[in-house]
Amino acid sequence: MIPPPVAGGAPGAPVAYVYLLQSRGDGTCYVGWTTDPVRRLVEHNSGQSPFTRRKRPWRLIGVEAHPTAEAAKCYERALKHNHRMRTLFTTRLLNRAAEGRPRQVAG
């Protein structure tokens, strides 16, 4: 289940997400952050993101919720700079998707 976008929700409710996309064309994975995973997937698939434009179409594998946009940005940056951390993140979300478990993970 993809979490709905949060707009001024309850205190402590997640406001940002780190997401994992997978290219349906060649299986390449992409990590990013957003406040609205569904909107961001549409943007990737419509070619609005230069980096992911070449490998369309994309599918959303999973998201991890974070309490602030800054926390999500920081985690995304760490994933992109730490190969081992990114591999663990990717494997965890791909396994959850394969098992049919919910995509949202408390961050």
Side-chain angles (χ1 to χ4, degrees), residues 17-21 30-34 40 44 60 62-63 89:
Y17 306 90
V18 175
Y19 61 90
L20 178 67
L21 300 179
Y30 176 81
V31 173
W33 81 272
T34 186
R40 193 67 181 119
H44 282 292
L60 184 63
V63 298
F89 172 80

Side-chain angles (χ1 to χ4, degrees), residues 66-102:
H66 293 270
T68 65
E70 190 57 40
K73 287 181 202 178
C74 185
Y75 188 57
E76 179 216 21
R77 198 173 310 122
L79 289 171
K80 288 186 174 181
H81 288 86
N82 184 322
H83 180 72
R84 179 169 164 72
M85 192 173 172
R86 181 181 170 133
T87 299
L88 292 171
F89 172 80
T90 302
T91 302
R92 183 174 64 245
L93 291 184
L94 285 171
N95 286 340
R96 286 207 169 124
E99 294 171 1
R101 290 170 46 193

Side-chain angles (χ1 to χ4, degrees), residues 19 21 23 28-31 40-41 43-58:
Y19 61 90
L21 300 179
S23 170
T28 302
C29 288
Y30 176 81
V31 173
R40 193 67 181 119
L41 176 63
E43 290 173 358
H44 282 292
N45 281 328
S46 65
Q48 294 179 34
S49 177
F51 188 80
T52 59
R53 184 177 301 144
R54 296 170 283 134
K55 303 214 179 202
R56 294 181 286 173
W58 294 91

